Amino acid sequence: MRIMIAAAGSRGDVAPYTGLGAELRRAGYDVALAATDTFAPLAREAGLEFRSLPADTRAHGEATSKRDLMRAAAAFTTELGQGFADAVDKGTDLLLLSTTTAPLGWHLTEATGTPSLGVYLQPATPTGDFPPVVTGARSLGRLANRATGRFALRMADRVYAQAVAQMRRRLTLPPASPSEVRRRQEQANWPILHGFSTALVPRPSDWRPGLDVVGNWWPHHDPAGRLPDKLEDFLSAGPRPVLVGFGSMASGDGERLSEIAVRALRRAGLRGVLQAGSAGLTADGEDVLTIGDVPHALLFPRLAAVVHHGGAGTSAAALRAGVPAVTVPVTADQPFWAGRLAAIGAATAPVPFRSLTAERLADALHQVVKQQTYSRAAARTAQHMTTEDGARKTLETVQRLTGG
């Protein structure tokens, strides 16, 4: 039985599927991960076959406004759609589609008859419980939340329109608008599993059947892996430090952010680890160390707090480790997750990226490290997350779908 997981976007949009793929592989499935070439090493380290998708988020620049985001997303999806069909061969028995690849994968399902399952990292279906994740807004009331949710879907359909039209022509399918295809999926109760914790987003009561929240899928890492010696030495040399990192955000802003981070850490009297990331953070000294990519699962339990951009994966990893956060959301779904962390008491109120200063960051760090309420809330959520097994629940769904 051959399964292909298709995911696209930044590292946080792809890495969780390596852990899910590894779980499916252990159960005897032949699993391939289709993603952009940057993520080939992640797939192979998890023991998965890699299939190349022909697009790169970095090629379209970093979006800092909603308009930039829409333009970059449309360019990315059009490029993605051009080679998406090539990644799926005739031997694929089941397609697992992420939030970003589902609007393309549905057409492959229609053309080939290959069954598919949604595996989403964000809640995308309109609900009265909260507004759409891309707005990052406060709740507008149940009716307005649902209305803005439907509007967000229409905006997403616009992003995919050109890619879908080209793909349907290539697959010799009759023309169909993205919204028409979406309606068909909804009417058929197309199943979607959501890989986040119910502690952060409980399943909305007004969702249709077939939409489930199963718990996180965690990035694969070598269980025998160790932190680099230099980092291990730094961690052992004093009190727990704070990690500062912005993941794939803030490219080219490294010098300014590094200076803010170091000044804030010193002002708050804390040791710090700067994760270089796309921003290129860098600073070294007796009380600060710069690192590259290391598994969150190994590092986060050793920290006093995490300063991050509010990405879904980093938010979940900090909670899993029982570590409180200061969030500095930049764009897309980051304000949504940052707001959720604050709502459960595991993070301070978000500090918007454009408003970040050393003084504001120092104040937030002092608050989150010195006031035990934040670490207690993070620890409670970590306990809740141990009761969830997103990969196992997904495997059970796959077994039901495939009869395997």
Side-chain angles (χ1 to χ4, degrees):
M1 182 69 68
R2 299 184 67 194
I3 296 174
M4 190 180 93
I5 306 171
S10 66
R11 186 186 180 95
D13 298 311
V14 176
Y17 298 109
T18 59
L20 174 57
E23 175 80 4
L24 294 169
R25 189 169 169 270
R26 281 191 292 274
Y29 292 97
D30 186 356
V31 184
L33 176 65
T36 51
D37 287 343
T38 316
F39 305 111
L42 291 186
R44 291 180 181 129
E45 282 161 20
L48 310 177
E49 182 192 340
F50 178 75
R51 307 265 183 89
S52 178
L53 293 181
D56 187 348
T57 48
R58 296 169 304 179
H60 303 293
E62 188 166 301
T64 54
S65 71
K66 291 280 195 301
R67 182 174 289 182
D68 286 347
L69 191 64
M70 289 283 286
R71 193 180 297 121
F76 176 71
T77 54
T78 301
E79 197 179 336
L80 189 64
Q82 286 167 0
F84 193 89
D86 296 335
V88 183
D89 61 29
K90 289 188 175 68
T92 302
D93 299 298
L94 178 67
L95 273 172
L96 302 191
L97 301 170
S98 73
T99 323
T100 48
T101 60
L104 298 169
W106 293 333
H107 307 280
L108 279 172
T109 293
E110 185 181 336
T112 64
T114 306
S116 62
L117 169 68
V119 283
Y120 287 12
L121 297 175
Q122 301 86 8
T125 305
T127 171
D129 289 7
F130 47 81
V133 298
V134 289
T135 67
R138 294 172 187 272
S139 178
L140 306 166
R142 296 195 67 82
L143 283 175
N145 285 346
R146 285 190 66 80
T148 52
R150 288 192 292 269
F151 177 75
L153 288 184
R154 286 199 295 275
M155 290 298 98
D157 289 340
R158 279 177 56 185
V159 164
Y160 283 89
Q162 188 179 345
V164 165
Q166 290 177 356
M167 194 171 189
R168 289 185 73 83
R169 279 198 300 273
R170 182 171 173 186
L171 295 168
T172 64
L173 292 170
S177 70
S179 57
E180 187 185 328
V181 176
R182 187 185 295 284
R183 263 195 310 277
R184 284 186 217 153
Q185 299 295 341
E186 294 294 312
Q187 286 161 1
N189 282 342
W190 185 63
I192 304 174
L193 305 181
H194 296 82
F196 47 77
S197 175
T198 55
L200 272 185
V201 185
R203 183 189 185 278
S205 56
D206 57 356
W207 270 4
R208 64 167 172 82
L211 303 176
D212 291 302
V213 178
V214 297
N216 289 89
W217 304 303
W218 302 108
H220 169 82
H221 72 91
D222 180 356
R226 293 181 68 253
L227 294 172
D229 289 344
K230 193 175 180 183
L231 176 55
E232 192 63 64
D233 291 346
F234 182 82
L235 292 168
S236 305
R240 288 181 174 224
V242 169
L243 177 80
V244 181
F246 294 92
S248 58
M249 294 289 107
S251 181
D253 221 357
E255 192 174 334
R256 182 180 74 88
L257 291 173
S258 301
E259 186 186 335
I260 287 173
V262 171
R263 281 176 51 214
L265 287 163
R266 289 184 178 149
R267 189 179 173 115
L270 297 165
R271 302 195 319 138
V273 175
L274 270 55
Q275 190 156 32
S278 294
L281 299 186
T282 180
D284 283 295
E286 194 176 320
D287 56 352
V288 183
L289 177 73
T290 301
I291 61 168
D293 283 331
V294 298
H296 290 163
L298 295 180
L299 174 60
F300 281 18
R302 312 278 297 277
L303 302 171
V306 183
V307 177
H308 64 83
H309 58 299
T314 314
S315 298
L319 286 176
R320 184 193 197 189
V323 176
V326 173
T327 55
V328 186
V330 184
T331 188
D333 61 339
Q334 294 157 21
F336 174 82
W337 296 111
R340 288 273 148 173
L341 289 177
I344 63 169
T348 59
V351 180
F353 182 73
R354 290 177 184 279
S355 311
L356 182 65
T357 63
E359 291 71 28
R360 284 193 73 174
L361 183 54
D363 289 348
L365 279 171
H366 190 271
Q367 199 179 327
V368 85
V369 173
K370 306 298 181 196
Q371 293 180 19
Q372 293 303 303
T373 52
Y374 293 101
S375 53
R376 280 201 290 269
R380 277 196 306 274
T381 308
Q383 190 61 40
H384 176 98
M385 290 168 103
T386 62
T387 68
E388 299 172 320
D389 189 340
R392 172 60 50 177
K393 281 196 173 173
T394 306
L395 169 61
E396 289 166 4
T397 302
V398 166
Q399 288 170 333
R400 281 198 302 275
L401 276 176
T402 60

